[in-house]
Amino acid sequence: MPIGTSSLARTGYTLSVTRKGAVAAGHPLTAETGAAVLRQGGNAVDAAVAAVLTSFVAESPLTGLGAGGFMLVHAPDENVLLDFFVAVPGRDGIERRSELDPVPVYFSEDVPQIFNVGAASCGVPGTAAGLWEALRRFGSMPMADLVRPAVGHAREGVVVNAEQAFIFKILEPILTHRPEGRAIYAPQGQRLRQGDVFRFGELSEALERYGVEGPEPFYRGELARAVSEWVVERGGTLGVEDLGSYEPIARYPARGGFRGRDVLTNPPPASGGILIAFGLDLLDRLGAVGVEEVVAVMEEAQAARTEEFHAGLYEDGWLELFLDPARLDAAAERARSRLRPPGDGVAGPGDRLGSTTHITAVDGDGRCASVTCSNGTGSGLIVPGTGVHVNNMLGEEDLNPFGFHTLPAGRRMPSMMSPTVLLRDGELEAGLGSGGSNRIRSAVLQTIVRLVADGMEVATAVEAPRVHFEAGAVQAEPGIDPDALAHLEARGYTIAPWAERNLFFGGVHAVSRNLETGELRGGGDPRRGGAIAVA
């Protein structure tokens, strides 16, 4: 379906576009903001920065000035991963005076999941610093121009669509946990629903200031002091030194391989990227890429997440050790053995929602900015006068598998977020990433398999049904091969079928590029309200 130079399409379409650029994101306004920048002559990083800023409004429960993230930038002459994820507070020596506040969230109608929020869950945010650094290193347009659409949306309001209304619904206990949140998300005493208008005036003012002054007020100025005091007064440990010492970190991407492609993704101390590289390498060794092979590889990746693994994420040389060919050969043999005799499976609990959003921007010169941001589920602390809803990363079980409040001050939190690019002969073939907590790695892996091994168009690959293995259970969307599921069940796996496609399985937003023609195609994930826009 050809799309003109100023049009936007919702998910479900494969786009044949000009060479000028494309953006895939979790909301139509997010994607369209990025595409507009490309039309104005901006590059992929300009587009990604503008899109992320708009996502602070259009996808506010998932991201914002209190969040953290990663941007993987591919340019013809370099590949850089900018780490601006949440850091552990405590440099000021402030004693924690509160405990994590457990809040039940009904991901499904029957079973609540407990999310830990409150002041004790607040880590050092990184998005304001990270976006500024990305623009400084790779951008071509002034931040004051890129922030303008987000400022307008926050001030004038955004109509709540069905996907955001659902997120508002399931996160209502957190978003309305305190009066400041209720004033924004339930302004008339009732939670905002589809068709209502979401406004965040203080975010508009904060973003306008950010466009002029940059990140300084958020890390060393009065806004930083306000955020610190608000958290500390409620028993948290986020001090002014924590904020003032925060800096983005440029890292070399982790590199894996699959079917002749180079897979560049998020390196340690993040864990998701290297687990994706690990899984794709195992699939290459197994040869086949069916449901049973994918589940066997997922099980092997899950088993690798030991205490030693998490400690190794912070050690020099761990990446090379983890992806050592001999180690991969041994893991592939274990995965192969799982495809043979029956065994015993143990059912486990459902996984977490994962309040994360992803954006992929590609320009006509083959540059790509793949950026994933997350606020956790948010801490429930929206600091008056700042536009900042502080993250709850210190309370996220997925990031603290061996206990809360155990990491030293200043350390980056581990993360499953995995902005990724595929290269063939050094040229960009696709950029992608996903939200979805522990399902990020399985969503990205399966989308790459669909693109490369199955030869699907990018939108079809994004929409294809997924599985996810964890705690002995195979979660399966409708459309997964029933014979393969029956074989897995016969080998002792618990099969947990889902009645319909669900945001539980992630939200992949991807752009592919034809190396011969330069044609760009996009896929926005319908599970999370994905959209694509073109220049």
Side-chain angles (χ1 to χ4, degrees), residues 67-90:
F70 304 89
M71 181 185 291
L72 178 56
V73 178
H74 165 76
D77 55 347
E78 64 180 329
N79 297 287
V80 176
L81 186 288
L82 279 181
D83 176 348
F84 50 94
F85 195 49
V86 172
V88 180

Side-chain angles (χ1 to χ4, degrees), residues 7 83 162 167 188 194 239 266 293 325 341 344 515:
S7 58
D83 176 348
I167 292 172
Q188 304 300 322
Q194 183 177 358
N266 203 359
E293 288 79 14
D344 294 326
L515 270 60

Side-chain angles (χ1 to χ4, degrees), residues 42-66:
N43 65 28
V45 174
D46 298 320
V49 168
V52 171
L53 292 167
T54 291
S55 76
F56 289 179
V57 185
E59 305 167 62
S60 66
L62 311 181
T63 183
L65 289 167

Side-chain angles (χ1 to χ4, degrees), residues 340-430:
R340 297 171 190 147
D344 294 326
V346 180
D351 202 357
R352 307 245 166 217
L353 164 66
S355 295
T356 307
T357 187
H358 181 82
I359 294 163
T360 299
V362 177
D363 63 32
D365 294 323
R367 284 183 294 258
C368 177
S370 179
V371 53
T372 313
C373 295
S374 180
N375 209 30
T377 59
S379 64
L381 272 66
I382 300 175
V383 184
T386 69
V388 176
H389 181 184
V390 190
N391 66 83
N392 75 321
M393 295 302 179
L394 301 188
E396 287 284 299
E397 286 189 16
D398 294 338
L399 308 189
N400 301 273
F402 302 104
F404 297 110
H405 302 118
T406 60
L407 295 174
R411 177 170 286 183
R412 287 294 203 270
M413 299 288 294
S415 175
M416 199 58 65
M417 294 194 289
S418 306
T420 299
V421 299
L422 300 183
L423 305 181
R424 185 156 49 116
D425 299 326
E427 290 194 53
L428 179 73
E429 189 171 34

Side-chain angles (χ1 to χ4, degrees), residues 124-138:
V124 187
T127 49
L131 295 178
W132 191 267
E133 178 65 8
L135 193 64
R136 185 190 72 80
R137 291 176 63 115
F138 304 107

Side-chain angles (χ1 to χ4, degrees), residues 161-245:
N161 64 17
E163 293 80 12
Q164 289 300 305
F166 179 69
I167 292 172
F168 287 3
K169 176 182 177 181
I170 62 177
L171 293 182
E172 181 177 8
I174 296 170
L175 298 176
T176 62
H177 194 54
R178 298 184 58 83
E180 300 79 25
R182 290 194 291 274
I184 298 168
Y185 291 97
Q188 304 300 322
Q190 290 191 334
R191 163 180 47 85
L192 293 174
R193 288 166 167 77
Q194 183 177 358
D196 291 338
V197 177
F198 169 78
R199 293 183 179 87
F200 195 169
E202 290 182 348
L203 176 59
S204 175
E205 295 169 4
L207 289 174
E208 195 165 37
R209 185 169 183 180
Y210 177 63
V212 176
E213 300 180 40
E216 185 71 16
F218 298 89
Y219 292 93
R220 284 166 287 276
E222 67 270 26
L223 292 180
R225 288 191 295 273
V227 170
S228 172
E229 290 172 2
W230 191 260
V231 173
V232 171
E233 287 171 1
R234 286 152 184 78
T237 60
L238 179 58
V240 292
E241 176 61 22
D242 294 315
L243 290 162
S245 61

